[in-house]
Amino acid sequence: MAYEVPPLPYAYDALEPVIDAETMALHHDRHHRAYVDALNKALEGHPDLQGKAIEALLRDLDAVPEAIRQAVRNNGGGHANHQMFWKIIQPGGAKRPSGAMAQAFNEAFGSFDAFKARFEEAGAKHFGSGWVFLVTHPGGQGLEILTLPNQDSVLPLKRPALLANDLWEHAYYLKHRNRRADYLKAWWEVVNWATVGDRLDAIRSGQEARLGGPAR
Ligand code: MN
């Protein structure tokens, strides 16, 4: 069985003007596809690994033979990160966190607005390509912002992600050109806070498995 790019759950132009339709089409159909194709190629001849959910594959990179471990880390991470990204950004979603998610921001950062400023700053300061994540701990207590290079996933770190933004130029360059900070600021407009809150609820209730979406 091969890993697959899940269909984008909305139209390419649904996130205009923050993310333009051409960027969405290239990003989803070409960039995400390339990671999935390279992952499948790396795993040829490894049916035991091909049968794993992407989350399980990345949580246990040590089980991957050294000859293909870096390819799996890069391309499997690219698959997992983008699969989460398409779900977190949604047209017409909740514009602000509520309930437990809002409370968690107040406890960890003082306020939701203070969190947003810290997240933007971390993303803007990260040198080169990578991702900026909002993570919690297993069990869902405590929040922390971290950045990782390339397509590294938080899954090997055992730190569940609630939210992530893509810092690669392919995510923003057509529309925002070199102005990463502008992209980071505008991006909040397309985050669906209901989805992010659901992720926290799932982690706190021990139902992380349902964050994975399609099994493949
Ligand atoms: Mn990307």
Side-chain angles (χ1 to χ4, degrees):
M1 268 180 77
Y3 292 92
E4 291 174 8
V5 180
L8 193 67
Y10 37 82
Y12 296 131
D13 65 357
L15 304 177
E16 296 261 14
V18 177
I19 307 178
D20 59 288
E22 187 181 13
T23 294
M24 288 300 290
L26 288 167
H27 199 176
H28 179 270
D29 297 359
R30 306 288 180 84
H31 289 277
H32 190 169
R33 160 74 49 207
Y35 296 123
V36 168
D37 288 349
L39 176 64
N40 287 329
K41 188 164 175 44
L43 292 178
E44 279 173 7
H46 298 274
D48 53 323
L49 298 175
Q50 289 170 336
K52 286 184 160 186
I54 187 65
E55 292 81 9
L57 182 69
L58 291 172
R59 280 196 194 102
D60 193 12
L61 275 177
D62 289 344
V64 176
E66 199 173 347
I68 60 167
R69 192 176 300 150
Q70 191 63 42
V72 169
R73 176 178 172 171
N74 290 344
N75 296 294
H79 180 34
N81 286 340
H82 287 90
Q83 187 166 273
M84 173 173 59
F85 186 68
W86 309 129
K87 288 191 253 183
I88 287 169
I89 52 176
Q90 291 265 352
K95 291 294 180 195
R96 290 183 70 86
S98 59
M101 190 71 250
Q103 172 104 15
F105 280 129
N106 291 340
E107 288 169 4
F109 300 100
S111 69
F112 174 54
D113 286 341
F115 154 73
K116 288 203 296 184
R118 291 265 303 276
F119 192 87
E120 287 174 35
E121 183 184 13
K125 278 186 174 168
H126 179 83
F127 184 76
S129 296
W131 288 75
V132 54
F133 296 90
L134 174 68
V135 298
T136 182
H137 291 276
Q141 297 303 317
L143 300 178
E144 191 180 333
I145 295 165
L146 58 87
T147 65
L148 293 176
N150 308 315
Q151 289 294 349
D152 282 359
S153 162
V154 293
L155 289 162
L157 305 177
K158 316 289 193 290
R159 300 295 304 275
L162 299 169
L163 179 75
N165 198 358
D166 190 337
L167 302 176
W168 286 60
E169 286 184 342
H170 68 228
Y172 61 86
Y173 202 87
L174 293 181
K175 169 83 182 179
H176 300 275
R177 313 315 278 185
N178 58 313
R179 298 180 294 274
R180 183 191 284 184
D182 289 358
Y183 162 69
L184 289 164
K185 191 172 283 297
W187 183 74
W188 299 118
E189 286 295 313
V190 298
V191 173
N192 182 352
W193 288 103
T195 303
V196 180
D198 282 347
R199 294 182 69 85
L200 181 63
D201 291 344
I203 293 161
R204 286 188 172 176
S205 59
Q207 296 180 307
E208 277 184 81
R210 71 180 167 92
L211 302 181
R216 304 295 313 189

PDB file of all heavy atoms in Angstrom, residues 30-68:
ATOM      1  N   ARG A  30       1.590  19.723  -6.103  1.00  0.00           N
ATOM      2  CA  ARG A  30       2.969  19.459  -6.544  1.00  0.00           C
ATOM      3  C   ARG A  30       3.905  19.210  -5.361  1.00  0.00           C
ATOM      4  O   ARG A  30       4.610  18.211  -5.332  1.00  0.00           O
ATOM      5  CB  ARG A  30       3.510  20.627  -7.372  1.00  0.00           C
ATOM      6  CG  ARG A  30       2.629  21.021  -8.542  1.00  0.00           C
ATOM      7  CD  ARG A  30       2.662  20.008  -9.683  1.00  0.00           C
ATOM      8  NE  ARG A  30       1.795  20.436 -10.774  1.00  0.00           N
ATOM      9  CZ  ARG A  30       2.150  21.283 -11.731  1.00  0.00           C
ATOM     10  NH1 ARG A  30       3.360  21.799 -11.743  1.00  0.00           N
ATOM     11  NH2 ARG A  30       1.304  21.618 -12.683  1.00  0.00           N
ATOM     12  N   HIS A  31       3.948  20.149  -4.410  1.00  0.00           N
ATOM     13  CA  HIS A  31       4.909  19.996  -3.311  1.00  0.00           C
ATOM     14  C   HIS A  31       4.534  18.825  -2.401  1.00  0.00           C
ATOM     15  O   HIS A  31       5.362  17.956  -2.127  1.00  0.00           O
ATOM     16  CB  HIS A  31       5.020  21.301  -2.511  1.00  0.00           C
ATOM     17  CG  HIS A  31       5.708  22.393  -3.248  1.00  0.00           C
ATOM     18  ND1 HIS A  31       7.084  22.526  -3.308  1.00  0.00           N
ATOM     19  CD2 HIS A  31       5.220  23.415  -3.995  1.00  0.00           C
ATOM     20  CE1 HIS A  31       7.406  23.579  -4.048  1.00  0.00           C
ATOM     21  NE2 HIS A  31       6.289  24.138  -4.482  1.00  0.00           N
ATOM     22  N   HIS A  32       3.299  18.824  -1.918  1.00  0.00           N
ATOM     23  CA  HIS A  32       2.894  17.701  -1.054  1.00  0.00           C
ATOM     24  C   HIS A  32       3.018  16.384  -1.823  1.00  0.00           C
ATOM     25  O   HIS A  32       3.517  15.386  -1.302  1.00  0.00           O
ATOM     26  CB  HIS A  32       1.462  17.931  -0.541  1.00  0.00           C
ATOM     27  CG  HIS A  32       1.037  16.976   0.533  1.00  0.00           C
ATOM     28  ND1 HIS A  32      -0.107  17.148   1.271  1.00  0.00           N
ATOM     29  CD2 HIS A  32       1.585  15.816   0.987  1.00  0.00           C
ATOM     30  CE1 HIS A  32      -0.231  16.134   2.136  1.00  0.00           C
ATOM     31  NE2 HIS A  32       0.777  15.321   1.973  1.00  0.00           N
ATOM     32  N   ARG A  33       2.579  16.364  -3.063  1.00  0.00           N
ATOM     33  CA  ARG A  33       2.682  15.166  -3.901  1.00  0.00           C
ATOM     34  C   ARG A  33       4.129  14.672  -4.008  1.00  0.00           C
ATOM     35  O   ARG A  33       4.402  13.476  -3.939  1.00  0.00           O
ATOM     36  CB  ARG A  33       2.117  15.484  -5.299  1.00  0.00           C
ATOM     37  CG  ARG A  33       2.532  14.575  -6.422  1.00  0.00           C
ATOM     38  CD  ARG A  33       1.873  13.214  -6.403  1.00  0.00           C
ATOM     39  NE  ARG A  33       0.447  13.310  -6.242  1.00  0.00           N
ATOM     40  CZ  ARG A  33      -0.313  12.350  -5.679  1.00  0.00           C
ATOM     41  NH1 ARG A  33       0.252  11.252  -5.229  1.00  0.00           N
ATOM     42  NH2 ARG A  33      -1.611  12.505  -5.569  1.00  0.00           N
ATOM     43  N   ALA A  34       5.058  15.594  -4.155  1.00  0.00           N
ATOM     44  CA  ALA A  34       6.468  15.201  -4.304  1.00  0.00           C
ATOM     45  C   ALA A  34       6.982  14.508  -3.043  1.00  0.00           C
ATOM     46  O   ALA A  34       7.743  13.527  -3.123  1.00  0.00           O
ATOM     47  CB  ALA A  34       7.317  16.429  -4.624  1.00  0.00           C
ATOM     48  N   TYR A  35       6.569  15.001  -1.863  1.00  0.00           N
ATOM     49  CA  TYR A  35       7.000  14.340  -0.617  1.00  0.00           C
ATOM     50  C   TYR A  35       6.422  12.927  -0.538  1.00  0.00           C
ATOM     51  O   TYR A  35       7.106  11.979  -0.154  1.00  0.00           O
ATOM     52  CB  TYR A  35       6.555  15.156   0.611  1.00  0.00           C
ATOM     53  CG  TYR A  35       7.192  16.525   0.684  1.00  0.00           C
ATOM     54  CD1 TYR A  35       6.421  17.680   0.733  1.00  0.00           C
ATOM     55  CD2 TYR A  35       8.582  16.666   0.702  1.00  0.00           C
ATOM     56  CE1 TYR A  35       7.003  18.937   0.785  1.00  0.00           C
ATOM     57  CE2 TYR A  35       9.175  17.918   0.760  1.00  0.00           C
ATOM     58  CZ  TYR A  35       8.373  19.056   0.793  1.00  0.00           C
ATOM     59  OH  TYR A  35       8.954  20.297   0.844  1.00  0.00           O
ATOM     60  N   VAL A  36       5.162  12.789  -0.899  1.00  0.00           N
ATOM     61  CA  VAL A  36       4.507  11.482  -0.822  1.00  0.00           C
ATOM     62  C   VAL A  36       5.141  10.512  -1.831  1.00  0.00           C
ATOM     63  O   VAL A  36       5.419   9.354  -1.506  1.00  0.00           O
ATOM     64  CB  VAL A  36       2.985  11.640  -1.037  1.00  0.00           C
ATOM     65  CG1 VAL A  36       2.326  10.288  -1.250  1.00  0.00           C
ATOM     66  CG2 VAL A  36       2.361  12.354   0.162  1.00  0.00           C
ATOM     67  N   ASP A  37       5.390  10.998  -3.038  1.00  0.00           N
ATOM     68  CA  ASP A  37       6.014  10.125  -4.042  1.00  0.00           C
ATOM     69  C   ASP A  37       7.406   9.669  -3.588  1.00  0.00           C
ATOM     70  O   ASP A  37       7.776   8.500  -3.741  1.00  0.00           O
ATOM     71  CB  ASP A  37       6.130  10.861  -5.390  1.00  0.00           C
ATOM     72  CG  ASP A  37       4.776  11.028  -6.086  1.00  0.00           C
ATOM     73  OD1 ASP A  37       3.785  10.410  -5.636  1.00  0.00           O
ATOM     74  OD2 ASP A  37       4.722  11.792  -7.066  1.00  0.00           O
ATOM     75  N   ALA A  38       8.180  10.597  -3.021  1.00  0.00           N
ATOM     76  CA  ALA A  38       9.537  10.250  -2.577  1.00  0.00           C
ATOM     77  C   ALA A  38       9.487   9.311  -1.369  1.00  0.00           C
ATOM     78  O   ALA A  38      10.341   8.423  -1.229  1.00  0.00           O
ATOM     79  CB  ALA A  38      10.314  11.525  -2.236  1.00  0.00           C
ATOM     80  N   LEU A  39       8.498   9.502  -0.502  1.00  0.00           N
ATOM     81  CA  LEU A  39       8.337   8.586   0.636  1.00  0.00           C
ATOM     82  C   LEU A  39       8.028   7.175   0.142  1.00  0.00           C
ATOM     83  O   LEU A  39       8.642   6.196   0.599  1.00  0.00           O
ATOM     84  CB  LEU A  39       7.213   9.096   1.553  1.00  0.00           C
ATOM     85  CG  LEU A  39       6.847   8.195   2.734  1.00  0.00           C
ATOM     86  CD1 LEU A  39       8.015   8.051   3.707  1.00  0.00           C
ATOM     87  CD2 LEU A  39       5.608   8.745   3.455  1.00  0.00           C
ATOM     88  N   ASN A  40       7.088   7.081  -0.790  1.00  0.00           N
ATOM     89  CA  ASN A  40       6.731   5.754  -1.318  1.00  0.00           C
ATOM     90  C   ASN A  40       7.923   5.094  -1.997  1.00  0.00           C
ATOM     91  O   ASN A  40       8.136   3.894  -1.863  1.00  0.00           O
ATOM     92  CB  ASN A  40       5.552   5.882  -2.289  1.00  0.00           C
ATOM     93  CG  ASN A  40       4.240   6.157  -1.565  1.00  0.00           C
ATOM     94  OD1 ASN A  40       4.048   5.723  -0.431  1.00  0.00           O
ATOM     95  ND2 ASN A  40       3.348   6.883  -2.214  1.00  0.00           N
ATOM     96  N   LYS A  41       8.715   5.886  -2.706  1.00  0.00           N
ATOM     97  CA  LYS A  41       9.896   5.331  -3.372  1.00  0.00           C
ATOM     98  C   LYS A  41      10.911   4.819  -2.353  1.00  0.00           C
ATOM     99  O   LYS A  41      11.477   3.749  -2.500  1.00  0.00           O
ATOM    100  CB  LYS A  41      10.518   6.401  -4.277  1.00  0.00           C
ATOM    101  CG  LYS A  41      11.626   5.893  -5.159  1.00  0.00           C
ATOM    102  CD  LYS A  41      11.919   6.870  -6.285  1.00  0.00           C
ATOM    103  CE  LYS A  41      13.114   6.461  -7.125  1.00  0.00           C
ATOM    104  NZ  LYS A  41      13.175   5.053  -7.479  1.00  0.00           N
ATOM    105  N   ALA A  42      11.115   5.604  -1.289  1.00  0.00           N
ATOM    106  CA  ALA A  42      12.076   5.203  -0.255  1.00  0.00           C
ATOM    107  C   ALA A  42      11.654   3.891   0.410  1.00  0.00           C
ATOM    108  O   ALA A  42      12.503   3.098   0.831  1.00  0.00           O
ATOM    109  CB  ALA A  42      12.213   6.309   0.788  1.00  0.00           C
ATOM    110  N   LEU A  43      10.351   3.675   0.509  1.00  0.00           N
ATOM    111  CA  LEU A  43       9.846   2.505   1.242  1.00  0.00           C
ATOM    112  C   LEU A  43       9.617   1.284   0.352  1.00  0.00           C
ATOM    113  O   LEU A  43       9.152   0.254   0.840  1.00  0.00           O
ATOM    114  CB  LEU A  43       8.541   2.865   1.957  1.00  0.00           C
ATOM    115  CG  LEU A  43       8.680   3.858   3.117  1.00  0.00           C
ATOM    116  CD1 LEU A  43       7.325   4.171   3.723  1.00  0.00           C
ATOM    117  CD2 LEU A  43       9.627   3.330   4.189  1.00  0.00           C
ATOM    118  N   GLU A  44       9.973   1.402  -0.941  1.00  0.00           N
ATOM    119  CA  GLU A  44       9.848   0.231  -1.817  1.00  0.00           C
ATOM    120  C   GLU A  44      10.681  -0.910  -1.245  1.00  0.00           C
ATOM    121  O   GLU A  44      11.828  -0.715  -0.846  1.00  0.00           O
ATOM    122  CB  GLU A  44      10.346   0.575  -3.237  1.00  0.00           C
ATOM    123  CG  GLU A  44       9.306   1.304  -4.069  1.00  0.00           C
ATOM    124  CD  GLU A  44       9.863   1.787  -5.410  1.00  0.00           C
ATOM    125  OE1 GLU A  44      11.018   1.449  -5.743  1.00  0.00           O
ATOM    126  OE2 GLU A  44       9.143   2.531  -6.105  1.00  0.00           O
ATOM    127  N   GLY A  45      10.080  -2.088  -1.178  1.00  0.00           N
ATOM    128  CA  GLY A  45      10.800  -3.233  -0.634  1.00  0.00           C
ATOM    129  C   GLY A  45      10.765  -3.303   0.883  1.00  0.00           C
ATOM    130  O   GLY A  45      11.457  -4.121   1.486  1.00  0.00           O
ATOM    131  N   HIS A  46       9.981  -2.436   1.517  1.00  0.00           N
ATOM    132  CA  HIS A  46       9.836  -2.451   2.980  1.00  0.00           C
ATOM    133  C   HIS A  46       8.346  -2.529   3.348  1.00  0.00           C
ATOM    134  O   HIS A  46       7.789  -1.580   3.902  1.00  0.00           O
ATOM    135  CB  HIS A  46      10.456  -1.195   3.609  1.00  0.00           C
ATOM    136  CG  HIS A  46      11.927  -1.062   3.362  1.00  0.00           C
ATOM    137  ND1 HIS A  46      12.875  -1.665   4.162  1.00  0.00           N
ATOM    138  CD2 HIS A  46      12.609  -0.417   2.394  1.00  0.00           C
ATOM    139  CE1 HIS A  46      14.088  -1.385   3.700  1.00  0.00           C
ATOM    140  NE2 HIS A  46      13.958  -0.628   2.625  1.00  0.00           N
ATOM    141  N   PRO A  47       7.706  -3.661   3.031  1.00  0.00           N
ATOM    142  CA  PRO A  47       6.245  -3.755   3.250  1.00  0.00           C
ATOM    143  C   PRO A  47       5.850  -3.575   4.708  1.00  0.00           C
ATOM    144  O   PRO A  47       4.741  -3.096   4.993  1.00  0.00           O
ATOM    145  CB  PRO A  47       5.910  -5.167   2.739  1.00  0.00           C
ATOM    146  CG  PRO A  47       7.201  -5.898   2.684  1.00  0.00           C
ATOM    147  CD  PRO A  47       8.259  -4.882   2.433  1.00  0.00           C
ATOM    148  N   ASP A  48       6.734  -3.929   5.635  1.00  0.00           N
ATOM    149  CA  ASP A  48       6.399  -3.754   7.054  1.00  0.00           C
ATOM    150  C   ASP A  48       6.227  -2.282   7.388  1.00  0.00           C
ATOM    151  O   ASP A  48       5.353  -1.894   8.163  1.00  0.00           O
ATOM    152  CB  ASP A  48       7.490  -4.374   7.933  1.00  0.00           C
ATOM    153  CG  ASP A  48       8.884  -3.864   7.579  1.00  0.00           C
ATOM    154  OD1 ASP A  48       9.145  -3.646   6.363  1.00  0.00           O
ATOM    155  OD2 ASP A  48       9.698  -3.670   8.493  1.00  0.00           O
ATOM    156  N   LEU A  49       7.078  -1.442   6.791  1.00  0.00           N
ATOM    157  CA  LEU A  49       6.991   0.006   7.055  1.00  0.00           C
ATOM    158  C   LEU A  49       5.865   0.652   6.252  1.00  0.00           C
ATOM    159  O   LEU A  49       5.199   1.572   6.731  1.00  0.00           O
ATOM    160  CB  LEU A  49       8.322   0.683   6.719  1.00  0.00           C
ATOM    161  CG  LEU A  49       9.513   0.199   7.547  1.00  0.00           C
ATOM    162  CD1 LEU A  49      10.809   0.841   7.048  1.00  0.00           C
ATOM    163  CD2 LEU A  49       9.317   0.509   9.034  1.00  0.00           C
ATOM    164  N   GLN A  50       5.645   0.161   5.036  1.00  0.00           N
ATOM    165  CA  GLN A  50       4.572   0.715   4.196  1.00  0.00           C
ATOM    166  C   GLN A  50       3.201   0.545   4.835  1.00  0.00           C
ATOM    167  O   GLN A  50       2.281   1.298   4.557  1.00  0.00           O
ATOM    168  CB  GLN A  50       4.562   0.010   2.820  1.00  0.00           C
ATOM    169  CG  GLN A  50       5.746   0.375   1.950  1.00  0.00           C
ATOM    170  CD  GLN A  50       5.823  -0.524   0.717  1.00  0.00           C
ATOM    171  OE1 GLN A  50       5.308  -1.641   0.717  1.00  0.00           O
ATOM    172  NE2 GLN A  50       6.482  -0.035  -0.325  1.00  0.00           N
ATOM    173  N   GLY A  51       3.071  -0.444   5.695  1.00  0.00           N
ATOM    174  CA  GLY A  51       1.783  -0.715   6.316  1.00  0.00           C
ATOM    175  C   GLY A  51       1.467   0.178   7.501  1.00  0.00           C
ATOM    176  O   GLY A  51       0.365   0.111   8.045  1.00  0.00           O
ATOM    177  N   LYS A  52       2.432   0.997   7.928  1.00  0.00           N
ATOM    178  CA  LYS A  52       2.222   1.837   9.112  1.00  0.00           C
ATOM    179  C   LYS A  52       1.504   3.137   8.758  1.00  0.00           C
ATOM    180  O   LYS A  52       1.720   3.698   7.681  1.00  0.00           O
ATOM    181  CB  LYS A  52       3.573   2.210   9.730  1.00  0.00           C
ATOM    182  CG  LYS A  52       4.265   1.082  10.480  1.00  0.00           C
ATOM    183  CD  LYS A  52       5.543   1.628  11.117  1.00  0.00           C
ATOM    184  CE  LYS A  52       6.019   0.742  12.256  1.00  0.00           C
ATOM    185  NZ  LYS A  52       7.175   1.352  12.962  1.00  0.00           N
ATOM    186  N   ALA A  53       0.697   3.630   9.682  1.00  0.00           N
ATOM    187  CA  ALA A  53       0.187   4.997   9.544  1.00  0.00           C
ATOM    188  C   ALA A  53       1.381   5.949   9.592  1.00  0.00           C
ATOM    189  O   ALA A  53       2.393   5.656  10.237  1.00  0.00           O
ATOM    190  CB  ALA A  53      -0.786   5.313  10.663  1.00  0.00           C
ATOM    191  N   ILE A  54       1.280   7.085   8.921  1.00  0.00           N
ATOM    192  CA  ILE A  54       2.418   8.010   8.857  1.00  0.00           C
ATOM    193  C   ILE A  54       2.857   8.454  10.254  1.00  0.00           C
ATOM    194  O   ILE A  54       4.057   8.603  10.523  1.00  0.00           O
ATOM    195  CB  ILE A  54       2.100   9.218   7.927  1.00  0.00           C
ATOM    196  CG1 ILE A  54       3.335  10.087   7.714  1.00  0.00           C
ATOM    197  CG2 ILE A  54       0.932  10.054   8.451  1.00  0.00           C
ATOM    198  CD1 ILE A  54       4.458   9.400   6.979  1.00  0.00           C
ATOM    199  N   GLU A  55       1.889   8.628  11.156  1.00  0.00           N
ATOM    200  CA  GLU A  55       2.233   9.058  12.520  1.00  0.00           C
ATOM    201  C   GLU A  55       3.092   8.000  13.215  1.00  0.00           C
ATOM    202  O   GLU A  55       4.078   8.317  13.880  1.00  0.00           O
ATOM    203  CB  GLU A  55       0.968   9.333  13.338  1.00  0.00           C
ATOM    204  CG  GLU A  55       0.166  10.543  12.866  1.00  0.00           C
ATOM    205  CD  GLU A  55      -0.725  10.253  11.676  1.00  0.00           C
ATOM    206  OE1 GLU A  55      -0.870   9.060  11.303  1.00  0.00           O
ATOM    207  OE2 GLU A  55      -1.273  11.215  11.098  1.00  0.00           O
ATOM    208  N   ALA A  56       2.707   6.735  13.062  1.00  0.00           N
ATOM    209  CA  ALA A  56       3.458   5.646  13.693  1.00  0.00           C
ATOM    210  C   ALA A  56       4.848   5.521  13.073  1.00  0.00           C
ATOM    211  O   ALA A  56       5.840   5.270  13.774  1.00  0.00           O
ATOM    212  CB  ALA A  56       2.686   4.344  13.551  1.00  0.00           C
ATOM    213  N   LEU A  57       4.930   5.709  11.771  1.00  0.00           N
ATOM    214  CA  LEU A  57       6.226   5.625  11.084  1.00  0.00           C
ATOM    215  C   LEU A  57       7.196   6.669  11.639  1.00  0.00           C
ATOM    216  O   LEU A  57       8.367   6.380  11.907  1.00  0.00           O
ATOM    217  CB  LEU A  57       6.004   5.841   9.582  1.00  0.00           C
ATOM    218  CG  LEU A  57       7.218   5.738   8.674  1.00  0.00           C
ATOM    219  CD1 LEU A  57       7.731   4.304   8.596  1.00  0.00           C
ATOM    220  CD2 LEU A  57       6.876   6.237   7.265  1.00  0.00           C
ATOM    221  N   LEU A  58       6.706   7.898  11.840  1.00  0.00           N
ATOM    222  CA  LEU A  58       7.597   8.988  12.275  1.00  0.00           C
ATOM    223  C   LEU A  58       7.886   8.939  13.769  1.00  0.00           C
ATOM    224  O   LEU A  58       8.944   9.397  14.215  1.00  0.00           O
ATOM    225  CB  LEU A  58       6.985  10.332  11.902  1.00  0.00           C
ATOM    226  CG  LEU A  58       6.944  10.610  10.394  1.00  0.00           C
ATOM    227  CD1 LEU A  58       6.139  11.867  10.104  1.00  0.00           C
ATOM    228  CD2 LEU A  58       8.347  10.738   9.814  1.00  0.00           C
ATOM    229  N   ARG A  59       6.957   8.409  14.558  1.00  0.00           N
ATOM    230  CA  ARG A  59       7.218   8.315  16.001  1.00  0.00           C
ATOM    231  C   ARG A  59       8.331   7.328  16.299  1.00  0.00           C
ATOM    232  O   ARG A  59       8.918   7.374  17.366  1.00  0.00           O
ATOM    233  CB  ARG A  59       5.948   7.870  16.740  1.00  0.00           C
ATOM    234  CG  ARG A  59       4.975   9.002  16.970  1.00  0.00           C
ATOM    235  CD  ARG A  59       3.933   8.650  18.028  1.00  0.00           C
ATOM    236  NE  ARG A  59       2.864   9.623  17.967  1.00  0.00           N
ATOM    237  CZ  ARG A  59       1.682   9.394  17.381  1.00  0.00           C
ATOM    238  NH1 ARG A  59       1.411   8.221  16.885  1.00  0.00           N
ATOM    239  NH2 ARG A  59       0.781  10.344  17.330  1.00  0.00           N
ATOM    240  N   ASP A  60       8.582   6.417  15.385  1.00  0.00           N
ATOM    241  CA  ASP A  60       9.591   5.378  15.625  1.00  0.00           C
ATOM    242  C   ASP A  60      10.574   5.321  14.463  1.00  0.00           C
ATOM    243  O   ASP A  60      10.740   4.294  13.806  1.00  0.00           O
ATOM    244  CB  ASP A  60       8.888   4.022  15.821  1.00  0.00           C
ATOM    245  CG  ASP A  60       9.833   2.974  16.389  1.00  0.00           C
ATOM    246  OD1 ASP A  60      10.941   3.338  16.847  1.00  0.00           O
ATOM    247  OD2 ASP A  60       9.470   1.783  16.368  1.00  0.00           O
ATOM    248  N   LEU A  61      11.246   6.439  14.234  1.00  0.00           N
ATOM    249  CA  LEU A  61      12.218   6.503  13.132  1.00  0.00           C
ATOM    250  C   LEU A  61      13.367   5.518  13.338  1.00  0.00           C
ATOM    251  O   LEU A  61      14.000   5.092  12.373  1.00  0.00           O
ATOM    252  CB  LEU A  61      12.775   7.928  12.997  1.00  0.00           C
ATOM    253  CG  LEU A  61      11.954   8.919  12.169  1.00  0.00           C
ATOM    254  CD1 LEU A  61      12.616  10.291  12.216  1.00  0.00           C
ATOM    255  CD2 LEU A  61      11.810   8.456  10.721  1.00  0.00           C
ATOM    256  N   ASP A  62      13.642   5.170  14.605  1.00  0.00           N
ATOM    257  CA  ASP A  62      14.731   4.223  14.865  1.00  0.00           C
ATOM    258  C   ASP A  62      14.457   2.857  14.246  1.00  0.00           C
ATOM    259  O   ASP A  62      15.392   2.082  14.019  1.00  0.00           O
ATOM    260  CB  ASP A  62      14.940   4.055  16.372  1.00  0.00           C
ATOM    261  CG  ASP A  62      15.553   5.308  16.987  1.00  0.00           C
ATOM    262  OD1 ASP A  62      16.074   6.147  16.223  1.00  0.00           O
ATOM    263  OD2 ASP A  62      15.515   5.446  18.225  1.00  0.00           O
ATOM    264  N   ALA A  63      13.172   2.570  13.995  1.00  0.00           N
ATOM    265  CA  ALA A  63      12.817   1.277  13.398  1.00  0.00           C
ATOM    266  C   ALA A  63      13.036   1.280  11.882  1.00  0.00           C
ATOM    267  O   ALA A  63      12.908   0.238  11.246  1.00  0.00           O
ATOM    268  CB  ALA A  63      11.365   0.938  13.708  1.00  0.00           C
ATOM    269  N   VAL A  64      13.361   2.446  11.328  1.00  0.00           N
ATOM    270  CA  VAL A  64      13.574   2.563   9.883  1.00  0.00           C
ATOM    271  C   VAL A  64      15.052   2.294   9.582  1.00  0.00           C
ATOM    272  O   VAL A  64      15.922   2.873  10.239  1.00  0.00           O
ATOM    273  CB  VAL A  64      13.181   3.978   9.395  1.00  0.00           C
ATOM    274  CG1 VAL A  64      13.493   4.161   7.919  1.00  0.00           C
ATOM    275  CG2 VAL A  64      11.706   4.243   9.686  1.00  0.00           C
ATOM    276  N   PRO A  65      15.353   1.426   8.621  1.00  0.00           N
ATOM    277  CA  PRO A  65      16.767   1.144   8.302  1.00  0.00           C
ATOM    278  C   PRO A  65      17.540   2.431   8.004  1.00  0.00           C
ATOM    279  O   PRO A  65      17.010   3.360   7.381  1.00  0.00           O
ATOM    280  CB  PRO A  65      16.677   0.255   7.060  1.00  0.00           C
ATOM    281  CG  PRO A  65      15.319  -0.361   7.113  1.00  0.00           C
ATOM    282  CD  PRO A  65      14.431   0.653   7.776  1.00  0.00           C
ATOM    283  N   GLU A  66      18.769   2.460   8.458  1.00  0.00           N
ATOM    284  CA  GLU A  66      19.566   3.679   8.356  1.00  0.00           C
ATOM    285  C   GLU A  66      19.690   4.175   6.911  1.00  0.00           C
ATOM    286  O   GLU A  66      19.707   5.388   6.675  1.00  0.00           O
ATOM    287  CB  GLU A  66      20.959   3.432   8.948  1.00  0.00           C
ATOM    288  CG  GLU A  66      21.673   4.706   9.287  1.00  0.00           C
ATOM    289  CD  GLU A  66      22.988   4.456  10.025  1.00  0.00           C
ATOM    290  OE1 GLU A  66      23.202   3.309  10.477  1.00  0.00           O
ATOM    291  OE2 GLU A  66      23.775   5.404  10.123  1.00  0.00           O
ATOM    292  N   ALA A  67      19.738   3.251   5.959  1.00  0.00           N
ATOM    293  CA  ALA A  67      19.931   3.637   4.543  1.00  0.00           C
ATOM    294  C   ALA A  67      18.798   4.517   4.028  1.00  0.00           C
ATOM    295  O   ALA A  67      19.008   5.321   3.110  1.00  0.00           O
ATOM    296  CB  ALA A  67      20.058   2.386   3.681  1.00  0.00           C
ATOM    297  N   ILE A  68      17.606   4.377   4.594  1.00  0.00           N
ATOM    298  CA  ILE A  68      16.467   5.177   4.112  1.00  0.00           C
ATOM    299  C   ILE A  68      15.909   6.099   5.197  1.00  0.00           C
ATOM    300  O   ILE A  68      14.910   6.778   4.974  1.00  0.00           O
ATOM    301  CB  ILE A  68      15.325   4.280   3.556  1.00  0.00           C
ATOM    302  CG1 ILE A  68      14.794   3.328   4.632  1.00  0.00           C
ATOM    303  CG2 ILE A  68      15.784   3.527   2.318  1.00  0.00           C
ATOM    304  CD1 ILE A  68      13.472   2.653   4.238  1.00  0.00           C
TER     305      ILE A  68
END
